[in-house]
């Protein structure tokens, strides 16, 4: 079926950070299981790419693949992009109201925010509060650490055999679509190169250390399987002809 | 006279599968310079002339849903004017059948439908002012109710 391919990259963030690897902690899901993708829902996905060509050899079907990351323990993708910021403002308002009862502890909560270290070691304030997976304020002193919601991992590159051999042409695109969080990776395929190719996803996870998120970069390999068949006329099952009125 | 007329069928796959019908869920448009009636509906009568090439393309409104043309077959004259779209299993919508009815109910799923290009020439034996109705069979995915048909579209040499 000709449709855009979507690959969901589902990461068990806490386990991946603890083991420092994505192996065994990642699940890849695409939307072409009925067309021949294998390993859907496991870490060993081979995405089927069914190509076709015209009689002069030119590529007929356009194949576009999109990758979307999400984490087990992240806030759901269906929330709007400004959810963290809005909840932060709401929580601050709730805490300001609590000042009447207990000023000291509330002030530390109000002043608590999160920071992120970039790869050069520069620390930036994110301007958001740590939230639990249900969107409540996460108090690092009192709440169970496993209830902290993780920032969604980000794909930073796609490389590997499929890219080197000119099978996948990748790009990172900006989008206002909220579930893609502003950026997503996309690729078109040269379906004349039939075969099975591996590609490498470069993923950055964010590890919360006290109130700072440290970037942890990991890679993971998945595969595509490219097939190509000739286009034929639907009426004659061969070349062009007269319509059978 | 343009040598080729393109007919684009836009399909709301989710609605079509949910309601098990193509009625109200497809929007058909063509670029005929003769001015066809019913643009954007499922009752488009494409105005054309013998010798022209007609090319059908189906596109899904939601890009990440699969839609393919499984078949286009021209209906014999004996069929009545009333038409419905049905699914493969026993649906509640009725199909009017006459004794001469040859429009078959779409049955099996087919694979690799995106290898087919639906295009052909209009023959010179075409008669003017007569609507040549055809049944459009779409396959949306690979499920039990994925094959849906509608036969309210036609070609006409005005």
């Amino acid at each position: 079926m000709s449709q855009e391919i979507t690959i969901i990259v589902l990461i068990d963030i806490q386990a991946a950070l603890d083991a420092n690897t994505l192996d065994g902690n990642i699940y890849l899901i695409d939307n072409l299981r009925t067309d021949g993708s294998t390993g859907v829902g496991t870490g060993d996905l081979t995405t089927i790419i069914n190509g076709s060509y015209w009689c002069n050899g030119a590529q007929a079907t356009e194949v576009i693949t999109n990758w979307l990351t999400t984490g087990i323990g992240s806030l759901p993708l269906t929330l709007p992009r400004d959810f963290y910021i809005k909840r932060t403002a709401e929580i601050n308002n709730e805490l300001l109201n609590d000042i009447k009862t207990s000023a000291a502890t509330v002030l530390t909560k109000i002043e608590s925010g999160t920071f992120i270290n970039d790869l050069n070691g520069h620390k930036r304030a994110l301007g958001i509060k740590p939230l639990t997976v249900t969107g409540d304020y996460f108090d690092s002193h009192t709440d169970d650490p496993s209830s902290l919601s993780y920032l969604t991992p980000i794909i930073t590159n796609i490389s590997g055999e499929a890219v080197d051999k000119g099978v996948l042409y990748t790009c990172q695109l900006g989008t206002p679509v909220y579930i893609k969080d502003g950026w997503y990776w996309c690729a078109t395929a040269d379906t004349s190169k039939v075969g099975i190719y591996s590609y490498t996803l470069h993923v950055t996870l964010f590890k919360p250390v006290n109130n700072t998120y440290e970037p942890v970069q990991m890679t993971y390999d998945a595969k595509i399987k490219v097939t190509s068949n000739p286009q034929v006329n639907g009426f004659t099952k061969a070349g062009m002809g007269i319509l059978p009125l | 006279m343009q040598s080729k007329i393109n007919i684009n069928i836009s399909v709301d796959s989710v609605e079509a599968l949910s309601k098990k019908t193509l009625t109200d869920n497809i929007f058909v448009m063509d670029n005929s310079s003769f001015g066809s009636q019913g643009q954007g509906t499922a009752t488009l009568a494409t105005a054309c002339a013998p010798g022209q090439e007609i090319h059908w393309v189906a596109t899904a409104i939601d890009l990440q849903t699969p839609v393919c043309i499984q078949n286009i077959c021209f209906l014999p004259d004996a069929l009545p004017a009333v038409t419905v779209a049905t699914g493969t299993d026993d649906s509640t919508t009725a199909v009017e059948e006459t004794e001469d009815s040859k429009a078959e109910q779409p049955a099996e799923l087919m694979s690799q439908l995106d290898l087919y290009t639906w295009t052909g020439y209009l023959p010179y034996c075409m008669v003017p002012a007569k609507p040549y109705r055809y049944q459009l069979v779409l396959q949306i995915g690979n499920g039990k109710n994925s094959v849906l048909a509608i036969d309210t579209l036609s070609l006409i040499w005005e």
Side-chain angles (χ1 to χ4, degrees):
Chain A
M1 295 269 159
S2 54
Q3 59 181 97
E4 277 198 23
I5 304 171
T6 300
I7 300 175
I8 304 280
V9 181
L10 178 63
I11 299 173
D12 186 343
I13 304 175
Q14 188 162 14
L17 288 171
D18 289 346
N20 202 29
T21 177
L22 289 169
D23 283 342
N25 302 315
I26 191 170
Y27 307 90
L28 299 169
I29 303 144
D30 73 18
N31 58 350
L32 287 181
R33 184 168 52 87
T34 52
D35 268 18
S37 286
T38 56
V40 176
T42 71
D44 190 18
L45 170 72
T46 300
T47 299
I48 188 78
I49 295 185
N50 284 319
S52 62
Y53 54 89
W54 301 113
C55 55
N56 65 357
Q59 179 166 330
T61 46
E62 182 182 56
V63 176
I64 299 179
T65 315
N66 303 295
W67 283 265
L68 266 192
T69 46
T70 184
I72 298 172
S74 294
L75 290 177
L77 288 177
T78 46
L79 291 171
R81 284 177 55 197
D82 60 353
F83 182 76
Y84 266 108
I85 294 173
K86 275 172 38 180
R87 280 299 293 145
T88 296
E90 285 166 7
I91 290 167
N92 276 337
N93 284 337
E94 290 162 19
L95 294 171
L96 282 171
N97 285 335
D98 291 347
I99 282 183
K100 297 171 196 164
T101 51
S102 172
T105 47
V106 167
L107 274 173
T108 42
K109 286 185 192 176
I110 289 175
E111 281 158 2
S112 78
T114 49
F115 297 87
I116 194 165
N117 272 344
D118 66 19
L119 290 171
N120 296 323
H122 296 129
K123 194 170 181 142
R124 285 184 293 128
L126 276 178
I128 59 172
K129 286 203 148 34
L131 298 181
T132 65
V133 287
T134 50
D136 297 318
Y137 173 68
F138 173 78
D139 188 339
S140 51
H141 302 295
T142 57
D143 286 333
D144 176 5
S146 67
S147 66
L148 173 68
S149 71
Y150 285 90
L151 294 183
T152 304
I154 295 176
I155 296 177
T156 55
N157 199 8
I158 298 178
S159 66
E161 183 192 12
V163 178
D164 293 338
K165 290 189 176 168
V167 186
L168 282 183
Y169 291 83
T170 61
C171 61
Q172 184 182 36
L173 302 175
T175 172
V177 175
Y178 58 76
I179 63 168
K180 293 179 178 172
D181 203 33
W183 298 102
Y184 69 101
W185 278 82
C186 173
T188 50
D190 175 358
T191 57
S192 68
K193 302 191 167 91
V194 173
I196 298 180
Y197 303 91
S198 69
Y199 63 91
T200 304
L201 289 171
H202 298 250
V203 187
T204 300
L205 281 68
F206 296 98
K207 180 174 186 148
V209 177
N210 295 327
N211 65 342
T212 303
Y213 284 101
E214 298 283 346
V216 180
Q217 293 182 302
M218 300 186 191
T219 62
Y220 195 77
D221 287 353
K223 292 195 282 286
I224 54 167
K225 175 177 171 184
V226 180
T227 69
S228 191
N229 287 289
Q231 286 270 333
V232 292
N233 189 284
F235 293 104
T236 64
K237 306 292 187 278
M240 261 286 259
I242 306 280
L243 287 175
L245 291 188
Chain B
M1 182 176 84
Q2 66 197 116
S3 60
K4 179 169 171 176
I5 296 178
N6 292 306
I7 301 178
N8 185 292
I9 304 149
S10 289
V11 184
D12 187 342
S13 339
V14 174
E15 274 295 290
L17 288 176
S18 307
K19 304 258 167 67
K20 293 188 191 163
T21 176
L22 293 179
T23 307
D24 295 334
N25 297 320
I26 65 167
F27 310 90
V28 192
M29 293 138 288
D30 67 42
N31 65 344
S32 165
S33 54
F34 296 126
S36 312
Q37 301 283 334
Q39 294 278 16
T41 70
T43 55
L44 175 69
T46 299
C48 50
Q52 283 184 309
E53 182 188 332
I54 312 283
H55 177 48
W56 285 266
V57 172
T59 46
I61 295 171
D62 180 348
L63 287 175
Q64 281 154 357
T65 55
V67 166
C68 282
I69 298 175
Q70 192 194 76
N71 199 15
I72 294 173
C73 74
F74 289 89
L75 303 171
D77 300 335
L79 278 187
V82 174
T83 57
V84 289
T86 65
T88 52
D89 60 351
D90 44 14
S91 59
T92 53
T93 55
V95 175
E96 254 194 67
E97 293 196 354
T98 65
E99 297 164 3
D100 311 328
S101 167
K102 277 199 213 159
E104 288 169 7
Q105 295 308 313
E108 333 87 52
L109 296 171
M110 291 173 61
S111 61
Q112 303 216 299
L113 285 173
D114 43 0
L115 295 179
Y116 292 129
T117 309
W118 297 93
T119 179
Y121 292 107
L122 287 170
Y124 284 94
C125 61
M126 215 179 154
V127 170
K130 169 186 158 166
Y132 285 89
R133 288 177 40 237
Y134 56 92
Q135 184 187 57
L136 170 70
V137 183
L138 295 177
Q139 184 171 317
I140 306 174
N142 290 307
K144 186 162 66 86
N145 304 315
S146 284
V147 182
L148 298 168
I150 193 164
D151 41 6
T152 49
L153 297 163
S154 59
L155 306 176
I156 185 163
W157 178 20
E158 304 215 331

